[in-house]
Amino acid sequence: MSSEEIRLNVQKALDEIRPYLENDGGNINLIAIENDEVVKVQLVGACSSCSVNQMTLKSGVEMTIKKYAPQIQSVINIED
């Protein structure tokens, strides 16, 4: 899979997750994809200060991204 295909698939995964985050007053932005393996995102709105945002990141966001782009190794939240 090319870097552009990976980016498109990661964006599709985030689009799938976004409505759930928006329901809780939050959102997620794609910051970067490094070496086609590490996705950097930023949780915003209510998600940035939520006490379970790391659980959301790992069990929700990372799992969904890996479904669309299995070569992704990890997802990291970049804080302000």
Side-chain angles (χ1 to χ4, degrees):
M1 198 179 290
S2 72
S3 293
E4 183 59 27
E5 289 172 316
I6 292 169
R7 177 172 284 284
L8 288 172
N9 284 348
V10 167
Q11 201 60 57
K12 285 180 196 174
L14 295 180
D15 288 344
E16 181 179 313
I17 296 161
R18 193 165 277 116
Y20 301 104
L21 299 175
E22 289 172 343
N23 280 342
D24 289 333
N27 208 335
I28 190 166
N29 297 321
L30 176 62
I31 303 299
I33 301 172
E34 294 183 349
N35 303 320
D36 295 338
E37 293 180 350
V38 177
V39 176
K40 292 186 175 183
V41 297
Q42 185 175 47
L43 292 167
V44 295
C47 292
S48 65
S49 59
C50 177
S51 63
V52 294
N53 68 9
Q54 286 305 307
M55 188 175 75
T56 299
L57 188 69
K58 293 298 176 187
S59 65
V61 177
E62 188 171 290
M63 187 176 72
T64 304
I65 287 174
K66 287 180 175 182
K67 180 174 75 173
Y68 282 87
Q71 64 273 48
I72 298 300
Q73 299 299 312
S74 65
V75 178
I76 300 168
N77 181 43
I78 304 300
E79 297 184 22
D80 287 337

